[in-house]
Amino acid sequence: MRIAIIGGSGVYDPGILSNIREERVDTPYGTAVLKVGTYQGEEIGFMPRHGEKHTVPPHRVNYRANIWALKMLKVERVLATAAVGSTNPGYRPGDFVIVNDFLDFTKTRTYTFFEGGEMGVVHTDFTTPYCPELRRLLVETAAGLGIKAHDGGVYACTEGPRFETPAEIRMIRQLGGDLVGMTNVPEVILAHEVGLCYGLIAMVTNMAAGISATPLSHAEVLEIMDQNGKNLRDLIMQTIPR
Ligand code: HPA
């Protein structure tokens, strides 16, 4: 299997894959569950990050099992989606952002496969955390489809599951964050550690706390994801064959 999709909030359905079956992959970190189907004759994996019914909160996702399972399945390229808030007035609800860097404000997660012992001590270069080739393909494909997708943005990952305070959002903005979400750390870190070509399509669902005129809600996030679901599916499916 060359390509896998990791679906974030609002993306629970492998969509246009056919002949779908469920696979459970046992890893040293626990069991990962994914759907495997075919698209244009190629096997594609689909992993809903929060579970099929959104039952796993961001701080409880088994990121290591998920990424290790993809590695075991010989996946090379990962197309991930994430719902995000925006701290950048130029990035509006409904916009896509092809993320190129991250900031980490999480607190309780396991950030590495390299814990000494058998795996050794490894310091991975993170000059390009997100796969540049896949980013380019996503930006080009979005342009071809007439979908508004910003080329680059800094994703700041917070611990959640609560949304941020206005002061936290001011801090993140001052430190260079464009987007806030709760899941990309450690997902992108683990993917990069094992050499997966990992690309993130962030969908802005709301302006962040203190910028938005109204209190944030998960329902609002899902509503925007739903409205833009077709564009997101089109972007993913047109990128896969390239
Ligand atoms: N903050 C954190 N995570 C999010 C947000 C937000 O504003 N919107 C969607 N996911």
Side-chain angles (χ1 to χ4, degrees):
M1 185 193 303
R2 191 174 63 94
I3 298 182
I5 299 161
I6 300 180
S9 289
V11 185
Y12 310 113
D13 179 348
I16 67 170
L17 301 183
S18 45
N19 304 316
I20 295 170
R21 64 174 195 275
E22 188 173 283
E23 283 228 13
R24 301 176 69 81
V25 183
D26 293 323
T27 79
Y29 309 100
T31 303
V33 182
L34 74 165
K35 296 277 169 69
V36 179
T38 50
Y39 175 64
Q40 299 193 348
E42 189 175 345
E43 252 195 5
I44 309 282
F46 177 86
M47 212 174 237
R49 186 184 291 122
H50 299 281
E52 261 180 305
K53 304 215 156 61
H54 203 112
T55 49
V56 188
H59 62 292
R60 304 297 297 263
V61 173
N62 193 341
Y63 297 98
R64 290 204 298 184
N66 288 352
I67 297 297
W68 197 262
L70 298 183
K71 197 67 189 170
M72 284 171 72
L73 293 168
K74 307 249 183 313
V75 167
E76 295 166 14
R77 191 179 269 187
V78 179
L79 283 155
T81 78
V84 294
S86 171
T87 67
N88 181 334
Y91 296 178
R92 311 298 304 180
D95 290 0
F96 290 101
V97 184
I98 311 306
V99 172
N100 72 326
D101 209 342
F102 70 82
L103 291 167
D104 178 16
F105 298 102
T106 64
K107 296 167 186 171
T108 67
R109 306 186 184 185
T110 305
Y111 301 94
T112 185
F113 287 116
F114 301 113
E115 307 254 43
E118 213 173 279
M119 290 293 286
V121 176
V122 176
H123 303 286
T124 308
D125 175 71
F126 267 77
T127 309
T128 50
Y130 299 85
C131 181
E133 187 197 344
L134 187 48
R135 281 183 43 226
R136 182 178 57 77
L137 289 177
L138 286 165
V139 169
E140 284 175 12
T141 306
L145 287 165
I147 295 171
K148 185 161 180 186
H150 301 277
D151 183 2
V154 175
Y155 178 114
C157 196
T158 60
E159 180 65 19
R162 65 169 176 85
F163 290 112
E164 300 72 33
T165 65
E168 287 170 332
I169 293 301
R170 284 195 300 275
M171 172 191 76
I172 286 168
R173 180 77 194 128
Q174 283 189 15
L175 294 177
D178 298 300
L179 309 167
V180 263
M182 304 176 191
T183 55
N184 210 232
V185 174
E187 188 172 279
V188 63
I189 298 177
L190 297 168
H192 196 58
E193 276 192 344
V194 296
L196 294 172
C197 170
Y198 178 99
L200 180 65
I201 309 167
M203 155 64 62
V204 179
T205 55
N206 56 280
M207 297 312 288
I211 304 175
S212 169
T214 52
L216 308 185
S217 73
H218 190 58
E220 172 190 15
V221 169
L222 293 183
E223 190 186 317
I224 297 282
M225 289 306 297
D226 201 42
Q227 282 169 18
N228 293 282
K230 183 183 178 306
N231 279 346
L232 186 53
R233 251 190 319 277
D234 287 351
L235 178 54
I236 290 172
M237 292 310 170
Q238 298 269 326
T239 304
I240 284 174
R242 299 191 54 185

